[in-house]
């Protein structure tokens, strides 16, 4: 099962949305700047802000794209604050 994750950098004051099978391993990869030409390689202070776990492949890709298309800090913060938004996303992309 997969995870959609949202990272936050205090230095950049920015969020990053991604998806993977092992979120802790992926977080460490971002902090270690493994992805050299990526947005996340700009800093090493990424912290896990929010996750949506136990998704199948189709769901996690669609939910990740949905969050990215929203381009909204408020939306990202609302996902964390209001679990019903996450439930609606999971149902929508089932």
């Amino acid at each position: 099962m997969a995870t959609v994750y949202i990272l936050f950098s205090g230095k950049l004051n920015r969020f990053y949305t991604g998806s993977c099978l092992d979120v802790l391993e992926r977080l460490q990869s971002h902090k270690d700047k493994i992805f050299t030409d990526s947005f996340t390689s700009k800093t090493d202070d990424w912290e896990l802000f929010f996750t949506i776990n136990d998704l199948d492949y189709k769901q996690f890709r669609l939910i990740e794209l949905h969050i990215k298309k929203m381009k909204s800090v408020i939306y990202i913060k609302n996902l964390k604050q209001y679990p019903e938004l996450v439930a609606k996303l999971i149902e929508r992309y089932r």
Side-chain angles (χ1 to χ4, degrees):
M1 300 305 281
T3 299
V4 172
Y5 62 91
I6 300 173
L7 305 178
F8 179 75
S9 165
K11 290 180 186 175
L12 299 176
N13 194 31
R14 297 283 303 268
F15 288 97
Y16 174 82
T17 303
S19 58
C20 64
L21 297 176
D22 184 339
V23 71
L24 296 179
E25 181 180 306
R26 182 59 64 93
L27 174 60
Q28 193 59 50
S29 296
H30 287 299
K31 286 183 174 187
D32 293 342
K33 301 181 182 183
I34 300 266
F35 310 106
T36 55
D37 294 329
S38 72
F39 172 75
T40 59
S41 67
K42 294 179 181 183
T43 189
D44 61 357
D45 73 326
W46 294 105
E47 297 294 329
L48 195 58
F49 179 78
F50 183 71
T51 61
I52 305 172
N53 300 303
D54 299 325
L55 303 170
D56 65 32
Y57 180 80
K58 180 182 174 185
Q59 276 183 308
F60 86 80
R61 291 295 299 145
L62 292 172
I63 290 172
E64 176 189 2
L65 292 174
H66 173 87
I67 294 169
K68 287 180 174 182
K69 284 181 184 178
M70 295 301 288
K71 296 184 179 185
S72 171
V73 171
I74 293 170
Y75 183 75
I76 289 171
K77 289 179 179 179
N78 283 342
L79 285 173
K80 188 172 184 175
Q81 187 174 357
Y82 302 108
E84 60 272 16
L85 289 177
V86 175
K88 285 180 183 179
L89 273 179
I90 291 169
E91 185 60 34
R92 178 178 180 179
Y93 295 111
R94 189 167 299 276

